Amino acid sequence: MPRVLLLGAGGQLGMQLARKLNGETELISLTRAELDFFDAAAVRAAIHRVEPEIVINAAAYTAVDRAEQEPELARIVNAVAPGVIAEELQQTNGWLIHYSTDYVFDGSGTQPWREPDATGPLNVYGQTKLDGELAIAATGCRHVVLRTSWVYAAEGRNFLNTMLRLGREREQLKVVDDQIGAPTSAEAITEATRAVLRQLIAGGEAADANGVYHLTCAGETSWCGFARAIFAAFASKQKSPEVIPIPTEAYPTPAMRPRNSRLNCEKFTRQFGFSMPHWEDALAAVASAISSTI
């Protein structure tokens, strides 16, 4: 089995990856507590120690609004550390699987973004994630960068769990209705990552895999639509508040958000032979998993 180093194993995506990949690969998982991403020497040392054939980097600074006040911290985790990882793998001819975001785009228009489209981040988080992509590419390391959007899971701090908590506390919730994208579960991203790994491990077509890909669940909705779907999925478990649609301007935040977060994922499907589920089906699967534990 290939030796795979998973970084960020304590996050909502990292936990899913650790569960699914354990046993399929010789997996070494490190959480943020076990590897200090603010220490480039420590990152290099970890890669030297493990000698992985593939690194999956699920670690990221994802506090979008806080990044506006902590740009240097976001830059170190989202841009500097991925570049360091890529430099090390370039020396060993290893592969890097890295996750990025729809926030690299400016959110204009209504058409789904394709990989070659011009980027234009609106906030510090998006800029640091884009800088990470560029740092990886600059090393010449073999890489698969997966841009995704609106990530959530049964565990962790995310929109799903925030809505469920607020729904238990309030009779009404006002939710933005003019930002459009695809809620994407960590579980679905994990299954797609397994498809990537299978190709990289098998070789052959893997030679053509190098590059950036878009990876989200199918379909689209607004944050308001997502919220309503969440409460519908959990209607038998808790009360559902009234969800009131509002424009972005009515909910000001420190970081600007893109209005159009649609991503065209055809390139990923062609290369890896894997199609993501519809976002509503992915939500149903997560809701079922949560409900079984309540």
Side-chain angles (χ1 to χ4, degrees):
M1 292 191 293
R3 183 174 299 163
V4 176
L5 175 59
L6 171 62
L7 304 176
Q12 62 179 352
L13 176 56
M15 286 189 287
Q16 294 295 326
L17 290 164
R19 290 192 191 104
K20 291 290 187 177
L21 300 182
N22 192 25
E24 295 184 359
T25 64
E26 183 185 343
L27 184 68
I28 296 91
S29 299
L30 296 176
T31 66
R32 186 78 63 85
E34 294 167 324
L35 177 61
D36 182 5
F37 257 61
F38 295 104
D39 185 345
V43 174
R44 293 186 193 278
I47 296 173
H48 288 167
R49 181 176 69 254
V50 175
E51 297 183 336
E53 297 169 60
I54 301 169
V55 172
I56 302 176
N57 181 30
Y61 184 108
T62 58
V64 176
D65 287 324
R66 195 166 70 233
E68 297 296 310
Q69 284 75 50
E70 300 178 341
E72 184 59 18
L73 296 182
R75 187 186 71 84
I76 292 171
V77 176
N78 291 344
V80 176
V84 169
I85 297 165
E87 286 175 1
E88 294 302 315
L89 290 175
Q90 196 278 331
Q91 298 298 317
T92 62
N93 201 35
W95 278 96
L96 172 58
I97 300 175
H98 176 78
Y99 302 95
S100 191
T101 175
D102 60 290
Y103 280 27
V104 301
F105 296 111
D106 66 9
S108 60
T110 58
Q111 293 300 307
W113 296 97
R114 294 179 178 271
E115 289 83 356
D117 288 339
T119 52
L122 299 177
N123 53 48
V124 169
Y125 167 72
Q127 185 62 58
T128 59
K129 292 297 288 183
L130 177 59
D131 290 344
E133 292 184 16
L134 297 174
I136 291 168
T139 69
C141 160
R142 296 192 297 173
H143 63 275
V144 173
V145 171
L146 303 174
R147 290 175 179 158
T148 189
S149 71
W150 298 19
V151 179
Y152 68 96
E155 301 149 315
R157 297 177 61 182
N158 53 58
F159 186 80
L160 167 68
N161 288 321
T162 297
M163 287 297 102
L164 292 177
R165 174 178 57 81
L166 292 176
R168 291 188 291 268
E169 300 170 354
R170 304 180 187 178
E171 296 297 323
Q172 288 186 341
L173 291 177
K174 296 179 180 180
V175 185
V176 169
D177 197 38
D178 57 0
Q179 296 172 22
I180 307 300
T184 303
S185 70
E187 291 84 347
I189 297 171
T190 295
E191 292 306 311
T193 302
R194 293 172 75 192
V196 174
L197 278 171
R198 286 193 291 270
Q199 188 171 117
L200 299 187
I201 292 167
E205 293 179 342
D208 301 322
N210 195 68
V212 176
Y213 298 84
H214 290 170
L215 180 70
T216 67
C217 282
E220 64 182 55
T221 190
S222 66
W223 288 110
C224 182
F226 187 22
R228 287 172 170 165
I230 289 169
F231 293 121
F234 286 88
S236 64
K237 299 295 182 179
Q238 69 173 66
K239 68 180 181 70
S240 299
E242 180 185 7
V243 179
I244 301 171
I246 60 171
T248 295
E249 290 79 11
Y251 187 73
T253 56
M256 292 180 63
R257 264 71 168 177
R259 303 289 183 107
N260 175 22
S261 288
R262 303 169 180 89
L263 297 181
N264 183 306
C265 302
E266 293 173 357
K267 179 184 175 184
F268 182 91
T269 301
R270 286 197 307 270
Q271 178 63 41
F272 299 105
F274 182 91
S275 296
M276 293 283 275
H278 193 278
W279 72 265
E280 291 178 300
D281 295 328
L283 173 60
V286 175
S288 178
I290 294 175
S291 296
S292 67
T293 65
I294 297 176

